[in-house]
Amino acid sequence: MRILRTIAEVRAAVRDVKAAGKSVGLVPTMGAFHEGHLSLMRAAREQNGLVVVSLFVNPTQFAANEDLSTYPRDEARDAALAEAAGVDILFAPEPAEIYPDGFATNIHVTGITEVLDGASRGPHHFDGVATVVTKLFGIVQPDVAYFGQKDAQQVLVVRRVVRDLDLDVRIEACPIVREPDGLAMSSRNVYLDADARAQATALSRALDAADAAHRSGESILSAAQAVLDEAGIAVEYLELRDAETLQPVTAVERDALLLVAARVGAARLIDNHLLRGATR
């Protein structure tokens, strides 16, 4: 595996591979790899001739009061894990390589970024995501890009960017990877102490209760809220939304997402579950 720092190096490497007729898979990350990240890398390895993983803690998607300065970073560990997963190139640029002096372009997606994490974290968050992902697509020119379904709203934002800007890349959303007790894997789980770690399992249990309520015709939101209340978790949001448009829904006629965000101990955690509708 090669660790590359510059856009020019990555473009040259990809150009050679594409000239040989091989496909390119990209896994955009902010590092602090866990099994969720590695599952994306393995999927990319199975499907492509070249696998590029970007490792870049993107400053533009953090607000001033968020954890940019303390976000977990360990490039040596991440590089070893990526290499073991079969990654060919780890693209680990400095911020100035991605955002040089005079950078003045921002990509804003309307309609699906103002709610949920967009409302909780602010409009800058998905602007930062959309802009950096578009830059990465321009740099790497991947045939396929892999994202985790845990960040369901982010996946929808990226899909919208690809559609609206006619970008020639397929977006592959891979299933959420969970700990044995159900907690969705996240780089921010390292912020949890033992008590908060145990409390955090209520998020996935709430989603399981909601799924059971959906199948039995009971109140989906009430079932989830009861589990969270019992665990003493005050949510930022717990909402049922259309799986494609993120419009609020009261009944699961089409596929819907139940999404939750909450601060547990020192960590802000998100999770979601897809509820299948009668019509698709």
Side-chain angles (χ1 to χ4, degrees):
M1 186 185 75
R2 289 182 288 169
I3 299 176
L4 304 182
R5 306 287 181 185
T6 70
I7 292 169
E9 289 174 318
V10 173
R11 282 182 167 160
V14 170
R15 190 181 306 118
D16 291 342
V17 168
K18 288 209 164 191
K22 297 180 181 179
S23 63
V24 177
L26 170 66
V27 182
T29 84
M30 295 205 302
F33 294 159
H34 50 69
E35 184 58 30
H37 295 108
L38 300 180
S39 71
L40 304 181
M41 297 176 203
R42 287 193 288 267
R45 178 71 286 158
E46 290 174 2
Q47 299 174 16
N48 298 279
L50 181 78
V51 177
V52 180
V53 171
S54 62
L55 195 169
F56 181 64
V57 182
N58 179 35
T60 63
Q61 68 191 68
F62 289 79
N65 63 339
E66 292 185 317
D67 59 341
L68 174 61
S69 63
T70 59
Y71 194 84
R73 293 169 171 87
D74 190 340
E75 184 181 300
R77 173 185 174 275
D78 286 345
L81 289 171
E83 186 167 23
V87 171
D88 299 299
I89 293 172
L90 186 68
F91 178 38
E94 293 296 326
E97 182 73 8
I98 301 299
Y99 301 115
D101 287 345
F103 186 87
T105 298
N106 188 55
I107 294 179
H108 177 68
V109 177
T110 61
I112 56 173
T113 61
E114 300 86 354
V115 299
L116 303 168
D117 263 23
S120 294
R121 301 187 65 178
H124 69 280
H125 174 65
F126 285 117
D127 289 359
V129 169
T131 302
V132 77
V133 167
T134 302
K135 282 194 63 98
L136 289 170
F137 290 170
I139 294 164
V140 179
Q141 297 287 303
D143 296 282
V144 192
Y146 299 81
F147 294 83
Q149 184 60 32
K150 183 178 74 70
D151 299 297
Q153 187 176 11
Q154 174 177 275
V155 171
L156 290 174
V157 170
V158 172
R159 288 192 193 279
R160 187 68 56 85
V161 169
V162 167
R163 186 199 73 179
D164 290 354
L165 299 183
D166 296 309
L167 303 181
D168 190 17
V169 55
R170 177 167 61 86
I171 304 303
E172 186 80 22
C174 297
I176 298 172
V177 178
R178 299 184 179 278
E179 300 284 358
D181 59 9
L183 180 65
M185 290 192 176
S186 168
S187 298
R188 290 185 168 95
N189 288 352
V190 299
Y191 298 155
L192 299 169
D193 61 24
D195 290 341
R197 175 67 181 73
Q199 185 184 28
T201 61
L203 271 67
S204 63
R205 288 189 283 110
L207 297 177
D208 289 342
D211 184 64
H214 168 55
R215 286 184 276 107
S216 63
E218 300 173 7
S219 171
I220 293 169
L221 289 172
S222 296
Q225 189 65 60
V227 174
L228 296 166
D229 288 344
E230 183 179 4
I233 293 177
V235 300
E236 284 187 10
Y237 60 75
L238 173 67
E239 298 191 29
L240 189 63
R241 299 265 175 170
D242 183 273
E244 294 183 3
T245 67
L246 291 186
Q247 289 299 305
V249 297
T250 57
V252 185
E253 297 175 355
R254 304 196 315 162
D255 288 357
L257 286 166
L258 181 63
L259 306 106
V260 61
R263 185 162 289 280
V264 181
R268 182 184 182 275
L269 304 177
I270 61 173
D271 204 344
N272 68 85
H273 183 71
L274 178 66
L275 301 171
R276 292 296 187 182
T279 60
R280 299 182 190 176

